[in-house]
Amino acid sequence: MKWTPEEDAAIREHYPSKTARELAATVLPGRSIGSIKTRALALRVRKAQGFSKNNAAIRATHFQRGQSPWNKGKHYVAGGRSAETRFKKGSIPHTHLPIGSERDKEGVLWRKVADTRIKPQDWLPVHHIVWLEAGGEIPSGHVLCFKDGNRRNFSLDNLELATRAEIMRRNSVNNYGPEVAAIIRLNGSLKRAIVNRGD
């Protein structure tokens, strides 16, 4: 449901000093708490300086420092038929891939090199594997690049290390000439204006 100018005016007037819950209960009864918060964000309306919803009644329901939850140390066993549908210890999910499997992530080919099932290090980019097997290292702050831009050309002659600053200089919009750079900047400004419009 589209927001009316009257509702926007009510948010601008009352949101800085009232909670979204209070607004939903009194000023904007047809709106949910979440939608009021979202609309206030879109309108760039903020809480007034010194505003605090943590009154004594609310603070009384919060966990206090050093307080223990009621179920601390208790073992929970789900009832019903949950035991029948749980994963058994050692079960292998249907999405499991063996070592040596490859997958594409945003144009970069990755290969599975380990099978711990819990570590992201199980997968490495293929060009990293080629570089490391040849005795190379990838120092911190450096990126392993493809010289010809072809992400499927894993030849050692096609791989090079570059600093992140060098990568940024290579990818700068200024490399395309002043006309194209101006168009790219204008496109970015247009996208930001659309996002900030809040409709």
Side-chain angles (χ1 to χ4, degrees), residues 7 25-26 37 41 61 80 84 102 109 114 125 142 145 158 162 178 180:
E7 289 176 317
T26 57
K37 288 181 179 180
L41 186 65
T61 64
E84 301 172 28
E102 294 182 344
L109 191 65
H142 287 70
C145 306
N158 190 41
V180 176

Side-chain angles (χ1 to χ4, degrees), residues 79-119:
R81 298 181 55 223
S82 66
E84 301 172 28
T85 59
R86 291 180 209 151
F87 280 112
K88 305 299 183 276
K89 191 170 184 178
S91 65
I92 297 175
H94 69 281
T95 55
H96 176 264
L97 294 171
I99 293 176
S101 299
E102 294 182 344
R103 65 183 180 189
D104 184 285
K105 285 179 70 176
E106 299 178 5
V108 177
L109 191 65
W110 290 63
R111 184 178 298 153
K112 191 170 186 179
V113 295
D115 203 2
T116 62
R117 294 194 223 164
I118 54 173
K119 294 184 180 177

Side-chain angles (χ1 to χ4, degrees), residues 17-38:
S17 59
K18 295 183 184 300
T19 65
R21 184 180 299 277
E22 290 171 326
L23 290 181
T26 57
V27 183
L28 299 166
R31 298 291 183 175
S32 69
I33 295 169
S35 67
I36 292 171
K37 288 181 179 180
T38 303

Side-chain angles (χ1 to χ4, degrees), residues 37-190:
K37 288 181 179 180
T38 303
R39 188 59 180 170
L41 186 65
L43 295 172
R44 298 186 176 189
V45 178
R46 303 192 188 286
K47 293 296 182 189
Q49 189 171 3
F51 172 82
S52 176
K53 65 178 182 179
N54 289 329
N55 56 39
I58 294 175
R59 279 198 301 271
T61 64
H62 292 183
F63 272 106
Q64 306 302 318
R65 187 184 294 273
Q67 182 180 355
S68 293
W70 65 270
N71 58 349
K72 182 178 181 181
K74 293 185 177 180
H75 179 66
Y76 174 75
V77 178
R81 298 181 55 223
S82 66
E84 301 172 28
T85 59
R86 291 180 209 151
F87 280 112
K88 305 299 183 276
K89 191 170 184 178
S91 65
I92 297 175
H94 69 281
T95 55
H96 176 264
L97 294 171
I99 293 176
S101 299
E102 294 182 344
R103 65 183 180 189
D104 184 285
K105 285 179 70 176
E106 299 178 5
V108 177
L109 191 65
W110 290 63
R111 184 178 298 153
K112 191 170 186 179
V113 295
D115 203 2
T116 62
R117 294 194 223 164
I118 54 173
K119 294 184 180 177
Q121 295 90 332
D122 285 358
W123 294 83
L124 283 176
V126 173
H127 63 294
H128 285 208
I129 296 171
V130 171
W131 184 264
L132 295 170
E133 285 178 350
E137 292 183 9
I138 305 174
S140 177
H142 287 70
V143 179
L144 189 60
C145 306
F146 299 93
K147 290 179 184 176
D148 64 359
N150 180 2
R151 293 181 171 183
R152 291 293 189 268
N153 182 358
F154 304 117
S155 168
L156 270 176
D157 298 336
N158 190 41
L159 301 177
E160 66 172 340
L161 284 175
T163 63
R164 296 194 181 277
E166 175 61 26
I167 294 296
M168 186 182 72
R169 280 191 292 274
R170 289 181 192 177
N171 296 329
S172 171
V173 296
N174 297 315
N175 294 338
Y176 300 107
E179 294 85 6
V180 176
I183 292 171
I184 292 172
R185 289 191 188 98
L186 186 61
N187 184 40
S189 298
L190 182 62

